[in-house]
Amino acid sequence: MKILVTVTEVADADDEFEISGTSIADQYLTYDLNEWDDYAIEEAVQISEEHDDIEVVTITFGAERVEETIRTALAKGADRAIRVWDDSFEGQTVLDPSQKARLLAGVVEEEDPDLVLSGVQSGDVSIGATGVALAEQVGYEWAAVVNQLDLDRDSGNAAIHRELEGGVEELTDVELPAVLTIQTGINEPRYASLRGIRQAQSKPLDVMSPEDIGVELEESAIELTELVEPESESNTELFEGSAEDTAGQLAEFLRERGVGA
Amino acid sequence: MSDVLVVAEHRRGELRDVSYELLTAGRELADSTGGNLHATIISGDVDEYGEDLNREGVDAVHTVDHGEEFNHGVCTQAVEQIANEIDAQYVLAGNTVNGMDFYPAVAERLDMPLVTDAIAFETGDGLSVIRELYSGKTEGTIDVDSETAFVSVRPGEWPAAEGTGDAAVEAFDADIDEEALNTTVNGYEEVGSGDVDISEADVLVSIGRGIEEEDNLPLVHDLADALGATVSASRPIVDNGWLGQERQVGQSGKKVTPDIYIAIGISGAVQHVAGMKGADTIITINNDPSAPIYDIADYGIVGDLFDVVPALTEEFGG
Ligand SMILES: Cc1cc2nc3c(=O)[nH]c(=O)nc-3n(C[C@H](O)[C@H](O)[C@H](O)COP(=O)(O)OP(=O)(O)OC[C@H]3O[C@@H](n4cnc5c(N)ncnc54)[C@H](O)[C@@H]3O)c2cc1C
């Protein structure tokens, strides 16, 4: 059995940043493994530890820089990795979920996994649609926002919980093959061990172009044309001064409101 | 092709608020295209829901009577068929957990570009969608260079449609292929009950990822003790297992309405704010002045929580 995990990097902006064109200037950005994908990797690795003969393959769309993040996923227990990239994407943020899905679909069709785990969303752009779009493109079943997963290999079924709003979960059976988008909190992602990190260096990481996987992207109909730091709607009254000063002012305010009195 | 279709949402016997907000957003787009505004409701007590959706500005309501609760297979097939039947230019749904479970598939089937989590539209020469990017620190304008589009709309951004409309509420005879339904919804479970009820608290001291480590949590408990307050948290704290689920504030946790909500090391993500914006007074301690929490906070301290929180506790003799 094969599980494919989509792994992406997200950009976190510094407290102070500048916008250049339609993105935040690179010097203000720090890149890290997408939080939701960390849980998806852990879920796949746990399944592979509980069952025999499960291969965990990660798939990433991204420039060479992303290999550091991919190695982290390998260090946490994935068996091998695939990175799809073409230099023509340099400097672009792909915001069209259908396009992103198409790039992943090429690999899914080649690898033919039984289960694809992706994150609910990428924490930076928060589109939240790639996994389900991918499922539709490759003709897999799917479920979005999964926070519990029990795999029954014999029946080819995943018994899952979907986390709805307001503390309610939906209990659902999903037939495989399927794409599940994984919610944070489903497990406790491990830290990579030193041994894992060493082993990750020798695990296969294949780089492919869209052509290699038979994908020809049409131009997207979606284009980011402007990016602004919104005018602050903030009416926050700030307490200013040292930590002691500000704490003193806040304490006075709270006492006036009858708190802690 | 100028009509707009809105996919309303219900759960366990009730239309959800976002449905009425979608009608307002849909009307805005229909005014720009000069087309009609259609709404559809799929599964459940569709006759009652259909009447409820007949608000001012709605031209037609299509009901699909198939099963009780949301099933993404049924919803995907029905929305595709209705959109094709009315030749919809724009289709709108809520950016909700169930929305996320069907609209990417429908957009694929209809070959419509998809833009999620809209907070505003610019219409005129075509459609542009405004949405947040980079964790709410920036807003982007996304131009849709296509005649048609599927857009999901953030809950709480458009006012609810009101009044009564003169729409025809009609059953739509969707042709649902049962063979293609490969998920079965077996039921629901309520989670997050415990021995504290944060929704009853008058004062909440709420902690987020800024606390960094579980070992630092006593800082917050000490403050709460000194203030006579209850401790609540943002999601990462609960995901990490540092506090129980009953203390999570937000979209998937509890809605709270205390007199005073003190958000410490919490950025103010939309899913968090959904649970606490009803607090009477919001106070934040966050060292990043660009954090979205400052958009809704009444009072704030731009400072390091590891300095400010102990100082505050000391003020109260803790
Ligand atoms: C479907 C779905 C449902 C969700 N449901 C919920 C929900 O119910 N509740 C919820 O909370 N989230 C929910 N989320 C997650 C949400 O999107 C955010 O990821 C989460 O709220 C972030 O938590 P945070 O603010 O604690 O962390 P972060 O966003 O990481 O913010 C930490 C903040 O702490 C500040 N900080 C750091 N160090 C210090 C310091 N020393 N002193 C002062 N400040 C400091 C930083 O400036 C930052 O603003 C949901 C997400 C999805 C996709």
Side-chain angles (χ1 to χ4, degrees):
Chain A
M1 180 172 183
K2 195 189 282 184
I3 304 178
L4 217 66
V5 187
T6 66
V7 171
T8 189
E9 231 179 31
V10 292
D12 187 30
D14 292 349
D15 295 358
E16 310 262 332
F17 59 86
E18 272 167 43
I19 291 170
S20 106
T22 56
S23 58
I24 292 181
D26 209 45
Q27 67 261 39
Y28 304 104
L29 296 176
T30 322
Y31 296 89
D32 206 349
L33 171 61
N34 180 34
E35 190 184 348
W36 280 265
D37 296 346
D38 198 12
Y39 288 88
I41 294 163
E42 179 65 31
E43 197 62 21
V45 171
Q46 284 188 12
I47 294 171
S48 77
E49 287 168 348
E50 282 157 25
H51 298 81
D52 295 330
D53 305 323
I54 293 193
E55 187 185 26
V56 177
V57 183
T58 68
I59 151 85
T60 303
F61 171 68
E64 193 172 349
R65 185 195 62 225
V66 80
E67 293 197 357
E68 203 182 311
T69 295
I70 297 174
R71 290 284 173 206
T72 307
L74 292 171
K76 288 175 180 230
D79 298 300
R80 65 186 167 89
I82 298 169
R83 176 169 76 86
V84 180
W85 187 243
D86 185 281
D87 284 338
S88 64
F89 288 103
E90 191 62 57
Q92 292 182 44
T93 316
V94 179
L95 291 176
D96 185 339
S98 188
Q99 282 214 336
K100 239 186 224 176
R102 192 136 282 135
L103 290 158
L104 301 173
V107 176
V108 170
E109 269 154 8
E110 202 128 302
E111 292 282 336
D112 197 24
D114 305 275
L115 187 61
V116 179
L117 302 183
S118 75
V120 165
Q121 61 171 17
S122 297
D124 49 0
V125 291
S126 306
I127 309 278
T130 306
V132 175
L134 167 66
E136 176 63 24
Q137 287 178 7
V138 296
Y140 278 30
E141 196 39 60
W142 73 83
V145 194
V146 172
N147 70 348
Q148 190 176 317
L149 165 56
D150 290 298
L151 194 64
D152 184 343
R153 285 172 84 176
D154 296 333
S155 66
N157 182 63
I160 58 145
H161 288 201
R162 292 182 55 235
E163 181 197 272
L164 306 182
E165 293 88 353
V168 177
E169 297 183 357
E170 180 201 273
L171 283 49
T172 299
D173 286 330
V174 182
E175 283 177 29
L176 302 186
V179 180
L180 307 178
T181 79
I182 299 296
Q183 175 65 316
T184 59
I186 187 173
N187 53 39
E188 278 181 51
R190 71 194 65 194
Y191 291 98
S193 65
L194 279 175
R195 188 161 147 264
I197 293 168
R198 232 177 299 121
Q199 284 174 342
Q201 295 309 320
S202 53
K203 289 182 178 173
L205 194 168
D206 290 330
V207 184
M208 300 187 186
S209 69
E211 296 87 76
D212 293 337
I213 50 170
V215 175
E216 206 177 316
L217 282 188
E218 294 162 29
E219 204 169 323
S220 172
I222 291 171
E223 191 190 356
L224 180 66
T225 52
E226 204 185 336
L227 190 73
V228 295
E229 208 173 336
E231 284 287 310
S232 175
E233 299 157 23
S234 175
N235 295 314
T236 314
E237 190 176 315
L238 295 178
F239 299 117
E240 315 218 21
S242 68
E244 285 69 29
D245 290 347
T246 54
Q249 295 167 55
L250 176 53
E252 196 181 317
F253 171 81
L254 290 171
R255 281 194 205 99
E256 275 167 24
R257 295 282 300 261
V259 179
Chain B
M1 180 198 289
S2 58
D3 286 4
V4 176
L5 174 65
V6 154
V7 185
E9 192 172 315
H10 63 98
R11 198 166 84 201
R12 304 170 90 195
E14 274 181 62
L15 271 181
R16 307 193 69 215
D17 293 346
V18 69
S19 302
Y20 302 116
E21 298 161 16
L22 281 163
L23 295 177
T24 306
R27 187 67 254 168
E28 186 183 335
L29 289 187
D31 285 345
S32 80
T33 64
N36 288 324
L37 174 61
H38 303 249
T40 180
I41 183 75
I42 297 152
S43 309
D45 189 353
V46 294
D47 293 336
E48 189 193 315
Y49 297 150
E51 289 307 327
D52 289 344
L53 288 168
N54 183 10
R55 298 217 165 168
E56 230 164 274
V58 180
D59 298 301
V61 180
H62 310 276
T63 61
V64 178
D65 187 9
H66 194 288
E68 277 309 304
E69 291 290 343
F70 172 79
N71 174 297
H72 70 228
V74 174
C75 189
T76 303
Q77 293 185 37
V79 174
E80 180 191 6
Q81 289 169 29
I82 296 167
N84 280 330
E85 173 81 19
I86 67 167
D87 200 14
Q89 179 169 3
Y90 298 128
V91 188
L92 301 183
N95 191 65
T96 60
V97 172
N98 280 347
M100 292 165 89
D101 199 41
F102 84 89
Y103 57 66
V106 178
E108 287 293 326
R109 289 185 193 181
L110 294 169
D111 202 16
M112 288 184 176
L114 170 65
V115 185
T116 63
D117 208 17
I119 58 173
F121 300 137
E122 276 171 16
T123 55
D125 198 18
L127 172 66
S128 300
V129 176
I130 314 295
R131 80 189 301 285
E132 291 183 343
L133 290 166
Y134 300 104
S135 316
K137 290 185 173 184
T138 63
E139 272 176 27
T141 304
I142 293 183
D143 286 0
V144 182
D145 181 22
S146 158
E147 219 178 335
T148 64
F150 202 119
V151 182
S152 80
V153 161
R154 174 176 290 189
E157 292 291 326
W158 275 265
E162 299 190 355
T164 310
D166 42 22
V169 179
E170 280 171 6
F172 180 86
D173 189 14
D175 182 13
I176 305 296
D177 176 3
E178 303 279 342
E179 292 287 297
L181 304 179
N182 298 318
T183 58
T184 316
V185 178
N186 299 312
Y188 297 87
E189 202 172 284
E190 312 265 350
V191 295
S193 56
D195 43 9
V196 283
D197 186 354
I198 57 170
S199 61
E200 292 290 322
D202 294 329
V203 183
L204 284 172
V205 169
S206 206
I207 188 65
R209 184 146 42 198
I211 195 72
E212 289 174 12
E213 284 175 28
E214 186 170 17
D215 289 348
N216 298 330
L217 275 183
L219 277 182
V220 181
H221 287 295
D222 290 349
L223 175 61
D225 288 347
L227 295 178
T230 305
V231 173
S232 59
S234 69
R235 179 173 191 120
I237 305 301
V238 174
D239 282 346
N240 287 341
W242 299 349
L243 287 173
Q245 175 137 34
E246 70 278 6
R247 293 190 195 258
Q248 183 177 318
V249 174
Q251 169 184 309
S252 43
K254 292 245 162 54
K255 259 205 175 108
V256 297
T257 51
D259 294 336
I260 297 190
Y261 187 85
I262 310 178
I264 303 173
I266 291 177
S267 64
V270 57
Q271 296 92 348
H272 185 78
V273 170
M276 46 68 86
K277 62 183 173 205
D280 196 47
T281 299
I282 297 169
I283 300 167
T284 178
I285 301 171
N286 189 314
N287 57 11
D288 176 3
S290 71
I293 189 79
Y294 281 103
D295 290 342
I296 58 155
D298 302 296
Y299 297 90
I301 296 175
V302 181
D304 189 328
L305 73 89
F306 294 105
D307 298 330
V308 176
V309 171
L312 188 57
T313 307
E314 198 163 303
E315 285 283 338
F316 289 91

